[in-house]
Amino acid sequence: MRAIQNNAESIIVVRDLFFEYPDGTQALNGISIKILGRRITVLLGPNGSGKSTLLLALAGLLKPKKGIILYKNTPIWKIGSEIRRYMGIVFQNPEDQMLCPTVYDELTFGLKQLGYEGEKLEKKIREIAESFHISHLLNKSPHRLSEGEKRRVILAAILSLDPETLLLDEPTADLPPLVADEIKKLIIELRNKGKTIVITTHSVDFAAEVADEVCLISKGKIIAQGDPHEILTNEELLREVDLRPPLPFVIYSLIKDRKSDIRTEKRPITIEELQRFLLSNLRK
């Protein structure tokens, strides 16, 4: 499912980042991290760990107390508002980004800033709407849509500007399972088309399904970064931040404990991997 790019380079570099809210809450405590291009990097941690604050800082929406954020080797403060041409962000609550009376207006707003007009604009709107399956929503108020529809609309509006990097804050939070699956498939499809994607989530199972790399965050610090199979099957490490391993790994562990002769090269963390494991071992 995941076609990982082996030649990925660091597109975002964070060095020794600190951030404090006005009430004195220390949200980031010396975070250093590298985000590789054309991959899905998941910032995983419990509520209040600092992952959303980090995402907002990456987008240039929060000014750190200390530290530096580089986008393609250039400090983002030097790029300024032009960073929006390279990086798009989708908030956890999509209504926070909805400014227009109709979905059509939401899609045209950014495109007009880029000089689209007339038939060129209409053609682009049709392409975007069809791609995100929202053609039937164009004349509706975005505030009256379902949560899943709202997220598709905001994603469409952001991606119409064709940013290289996409920042997603809890993209499947509070969504029904089938709608969350649609968003998950869309995220993987965007990565496969060459987008760099950074996601925050507290869902270990969601992280297991989409991540090419996992950064485990706790109390404003990165405590582990690396391959999802290494981090998400480390029960002791996850327990430190009040998280559990993915459910497929939990099931695998129960089976393996009962049958000591079971062997597998890669411990399963997704339903697909668990299915392959069961088919190859339980027939023996």
Side-chain angles (χ1 to χ4, degrees), residues 74-263:
T74 301
I76 60 170
W77 64 267
K78 282 190 176 182
I79 302 174
S81 61
E82 286 293 303
I83 194 67
R84 297 279 75 81
R85 290 182 176 271
Y86 309 105
M87 190 184 298
I89 184 168
V90 178
F91 300 148
Q92 181 175 350
N93 183 358
E95 291 217 18
D96 291 343
Q97 292 173 267
M98 292 179 171
L99 306 173
C100 301
T102 69
V103 171
Y104 176 87
D105 294 325
E106 287 287 352
L107 298 182
T108 59
F109 182 80
L111 290 172
K112 287 180 178 179
Q113 312 307 310
L114 295 181
Y116 281 82
E117 58 184 17
E119 179 54 32
K120 182 182 178 183
L121 174 63
E122 295 302 319
K123 180 181 178 182
K124 184 70 172 178
I125 292 297
R126 288 195 299 271
E127 291 174 352
I128 296 167
E130 290 172 6
S131 176
F132 285 83
H133 307 292
I134 56 174
S135 298
H136 61 297
L137 303 176
L138 290 177
N139 294 322
K140 293 188 176 184
S141 166
H143 300 284
R144 295 183 178 275
L145 304 179
S146 70
E147 287 302 310
E149 289 171 336
K150 289 175 183 177
R151 294 193 191 186
R152 286 211 306 274
V153 166
I154 291 301
L155 272 170
I158 295 297
L159 287 166
S160 68
L161 308 179
D162 198 28
E164 299 172 309
T165 301
L166 191 60
L167 310 177
L168 305 177
D169 192 12
E170 297 279 1
T172 59
D174 303 319
L175 293 181
L178 291 180
V179 178
D181 284 344
E182 288 181 10
I183 298 296
K184 179 188 73 175
K185 291 175 183 177
L186 176 59
I187 289 169
I188 293 173
E189 181 181 337
L190 291 170
R191 188 279 317 279
N192 289 343
K193 289 181 178 179
K195 299 294 183 186
T196 300
I197 302 175
V198 184
I199 299 171
T200 70
T201 187
H202 61 271
S203 170
V204 177
D205 292 286
F206 176 66
E209 291 285 344
V210 301
D212 296 317
E213 185 149 26
V214 170
C215 296
L216 198 59
I217 301 181
S218 178
K219 299 178 181 178
K221 296 181 179 181
I222 302 286
I223 63 172
Q225 178 178 1
D227 180 82
H229 287 87
E230 294 180 7
I231 292 178
L232 300 182
T233 59
N234 189 327
E235 297 179 79
E236 183 177 347
L237 182 64
L238 292 173
R239 196 177 299 113
E240 288 180 19
V241 295
D242 297 322
L243 296 175
R244 61 155 178 80
L247 184 57
F249 176 74
V250 174
I251 295 172
Y252 156 80
S253 298
L254 291 172
I255 296 171
K256 191 173 184 299
D257 287 345
R258 293 180 181 179
K259 199 170 182 181
S260 59
D261 61 330
I262 284 179
R263 297 289 183 271

Side-chain angles (χ1 to χ4, degrees), residues 26-43:
Q26 189 75 31
L28 303 178
N29 293 289
I31 279 185
S32 295
I33 183 177
K34 291 183 178 181
I35 306 294
L36 299 180
R38 300 185 178 186
R39 304 181 88 184
I40 298 173
T41 298
V42 172
L43 307 177

